[in-house]
């Protein structure tokens, strides 16, 4: 080996000997061994957008068109299905997708509830913000231009999804503050058993419940450091042997491990509760090995459904998904997902109950609002 060639074979995690070794810290626990990667497509498959752009639909006489306005991203397949279902009911749906919005022609009138999107004048009746993540905007936030674009869309999308003269589905003014710790506190106040939980940058020194523990992210399950490139932050068992003295660069949740017979994914749609039994061997299996996860439709106990509906009313949620553990004697609350996706669970269970319920609920609510709301003047 020639002089200096050893540098080509340096330890991948930093120096193991020498002065710098004492300063080396391993990477964050939730980034270790996580190889999940998903590239989110930015091509629209929305039925209504395609037929309107192709001039296959009569746009009317120029009066504002009542509509459902969705703030999402192109890969939101649940909203693609909703678009088709609403078209069958002659209900207009339009979208502003985070990964396609930098070139959109948009004017929002602040003194009347009207929007011009491309060539259409629209009157939103309902607004649903789902996966409209600022990190998905196709700009470089480290540049002045990228930072500028992000900041403008952050402000305007927040205002659109909080404007009081439109009906908001899962109002952001309520759901934006529904972090996991708030969820646990509120669920306990409604009679749910919740795992003992610590928030810490020293996970190896915290053992809530005194036994086995799970490490979880306090924030989203996905990181998007580059627009469209998503990486997973999934729950993992806490290995006390390797993390006793390690300090995390940001707080994580260390949660008591609760043994269970299986998990429950419960969808609340309006006043309806739809349950699925989920059998998996590992907390992250749903993402890293989805084909091995078994899902089947189940009827939930009436008392459990009542508590879930009560929580949704308290949180002002219209469509949400709950993750629960089914134990011998009770159901343990884990979390609620506001931007919930249901098509995967339906596919695994060969069922379409949630899609049917969502399409029906949005259509019925829309028709009620149109019938009871007077149209604004457009002079």
């Amino acid at each position: 080996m020639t002089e200096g060639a050893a540098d080509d074979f340096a330890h991948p995690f930093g120096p193991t000997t020498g002065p710098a070794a004492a300063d080396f810290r391993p990477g964050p626990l939730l980034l270790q061994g996580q190889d999940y990667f998903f590239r989110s497509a930015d091509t629209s498959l929305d039925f209504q957008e395609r037929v309107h752009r192709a001039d296959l639909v009569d746009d009317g006489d120029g009066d504002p068109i009542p509509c459902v306005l969705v703030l999402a991203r192109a890969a939101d397949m649940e909203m693609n299905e909703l678009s088709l279902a609403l078209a069958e009911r002659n209900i207009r749906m339009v979208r502003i997708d985070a990964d396609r919005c930098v070139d959109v022609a948009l004017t929002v009138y602040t003194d009347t509830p009207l929007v011009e999107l491309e060539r259409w004048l629209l009157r939103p009746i309902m607004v649903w913000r789902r996966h409209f993540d600022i990190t998905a905007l196709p700009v470089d936030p480290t540049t002045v231009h990228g930072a500028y674009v992000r900041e403008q869309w952050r402000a305007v999308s927040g205002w659109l999804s909080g404007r009081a003269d439109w009906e908001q589905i899962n109002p952001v003014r309520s759901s934006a503050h529904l972090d996991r710790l708030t969820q646990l506190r509120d669920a306990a106040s409604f009679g749910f058993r919740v795992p003992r939980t610590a928030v810490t940058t020293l996970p190896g020194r915290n053992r809530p419940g005194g036994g086995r523990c799970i490490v979880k992210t306090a924030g989203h399950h996905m990181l998007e450091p580059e627009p469209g490139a998503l990486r997973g932050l999934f729950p993992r068992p806490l290995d006390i042997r390797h993390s006793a003295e390690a300090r995390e660069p940001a707080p994580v949740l260390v949660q008591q491990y609760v043994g269970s017979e299986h998990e429950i994914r419960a969808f609340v749609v309006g006043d309806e509760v739809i349950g699925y039994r989920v059998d998996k061997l590992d907390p992250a299996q749903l993402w890293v090995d989805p084909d091995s996860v078994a899902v089947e439709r189940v009827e939930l106990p009436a008392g459990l459904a009542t508590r879930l509906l009560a929580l949704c009313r308290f949180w002002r949620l219209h469509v949400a998904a709950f993750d629960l553990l089914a134990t011998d004697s009770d159901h343990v609350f884990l979390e609620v997902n506001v931007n919930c996706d249901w098509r995967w669970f339906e596919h695994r269970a060969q069922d379409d109950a949630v899609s049917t319920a969502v399409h029906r609920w949005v259509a019925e609510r829309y028709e009620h609002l149109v019938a009871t709301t007077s149209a604004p003047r457009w002079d």
Side-chain angles (χ1 to χ4, degrees):
M1 182 179 294
T2 59
E3 184 178 359
D7 291 343
D8 296 333
F9 299 93
H11 194 281
F13 301 114
T16 55
T17 59
D23 297 330
F24 168 70
R25 294 178 180 175
L29 278 176
L30 292 177
L31 292 180
Q32 296 176 20
Q34 299 280 21
D35 56 359
Y36 177 90
F37 175 80
F38 173 72
R39 174 67 66 175
S40 180
D42 59 3
T43 302
S44 174
L45 299 177
D46 187 285
F47 171 78
Q48 292 204 38
E49 178 173 323
R50 289 192 166 199
V51 297
H52 280 84
R53 286 187 181 278
D55 292 323
L56 300 176
V57 179
D58 182 6
D59 288 328
D61 57 6
D63 287 339
I65 304 169
C67 71
V68 176
L69 173 62
V70 172
L71 281 74
R73 58 193 304 165
D76 191 336
M77 298 302 294
E78 276 73 12
M79 294 299 96
N80 290 344
E81 282 198 344
L82 178 62
S83 176
L84 182 58
L86 293 182
E88 293 173 348
R89 295 170 167 86
N90 199 30
I91 296 175
R92 183 80 160 94
M93 182 181 127
V94 296
R95 288 166 71 152
I96 302 175
D97 290 333
D99 40 8
R100 301 187 304 129
C101 67
V102 293
D103 294 317
V104 70
L106 172 70
T107 301
V108 185
Y109 295 94
T110 59
D111 56 348
T112 185
L114 299 177
V115 171
E116 279 188 90
L117 184 62
E118 303 299 342
R119 66 175 186 267
W120 299 289
L121 181 62
L122 306 161
R123 176 165 67 94
I125 303 297
M126 305 172 74
V127 177
W128 194 353
R129 178 170 180 164
R130 280 174 47 84
H131 295 296
F132 193 95
D133 301 312
I134 297 301
T135 53
L137 267 70
V139 295
D140 182 355
T142 64
T143 65
V144 174
H145 173 268
Y148 163 79
V149 172
R150 274 194 175 190
E151 185 55 32
Q152 304 313 304
W153 274 109
R154 186 190 313 277
V156 173
S157 64
W159 177 69
L160 283 172
S161 51
R163 188 168 173 173
D165 48 6
W166 296 327
E167 175 92 354
Q168 300 285 343
I169 302 175
N170 292 346
V172 172
R173 66 183 66 184
S174 300
S175 61
H177 307 292
L178 201 53
D179 57 82
R180 286 192 175 86
L181 296 166
T182 300
Q183 294 176 25
L184 293 170
R185 180 200 64 195
D186 292 346
S189 71
F190 275 76
F192 280 98
R193 179 185 167 195
V194 299
R196 295 188 63 182
T197 303
V199 184
T200 180
T201 59
L202 298 168
R205 295 187 184 181
N206 290 270
R207 303 283 290 277
R212 298 166 60 191
C213 291
I214 301 292
V215 182
K216 296 182 176 181
T217 173
H220 295 303
H221 286 304
M222 295 287 179
L223 289 179
E224 195 168 1
E226 173 193 343
L230 289 89
R231 299 184 180 274
L233 293 176
F234 306 130
R236 61 183 300 167
L238 175 63
D239 188 343
I240 195 69
R241 296 170 301 174
H242 297 155
S243 58
E245 299 300 326
R247 181 176 300 177
E248 291 288 296
V252 294
L253 304 186
V254 177
Q255 202 164 70
Q256 171 193 17
Y257 173 83
V258 178
S260 62
E261 299 174 354
H262 55 269
E263 292 190 15
I264 293 290
R265 167 59 70 106
F267 292 94
V268 172
V269 183
D271 293 325
E272 188 173 355
V273 182
I274 301 164
Y276 295 92
R277 170 174 171 153
V278 180
D279 288 289
K280 58 183 183 179
L281 300 176
D282 179 82
Q285 193 173 2
L286 193 68
W287 299 278
V288 299
D289 188 16
D291 290 340
S292 64
V293 179
V295 181
E296 64 175 311
R297 174 80 183 278
V298 294
E299 291 298 322
L300 300 181
L304 173 61
T306 298
R307 281 188 290 169
L308 294 176
L309 288 170
L311 262 178
C312 278
R313 285 192 290 270
F314 178 72
W315 287 329
R316 296 187 61 199
L317 300 179
H318 304 101
V319 180
F322 289 83
D323 290 325
L324 309 157
L325 296 176
T327 66
D328 292 336
S329 58
D330 200 0
H331 289 89
V332 180
F333 176 94
L334 295 180
E335 64 177 281
V336 65
N337 189 332
V338 176
N339 294 327
C340 53
D341 296 328
W342 52 86
R343 293 179 71 251
W344 184 86
F345 292 91
E346 291 181 328
H347 172 71
R348 295 295 294 174
Q350 298 184 351
D351 176 81
D352 64 355
V354 184
S355 293
T356 299
V358 170
H359 301 166
R360 180 177 60 245
W361 182 85
V362 172
E364 291 178 352
R365 184 62 183 159
Y366 172 92
E367 289 165 354
H368 170 77
L369 291 169
V370 168
T372 58
T373 305
S374 58
R377 292 186 59 185
W378 178 246
D379 298 326

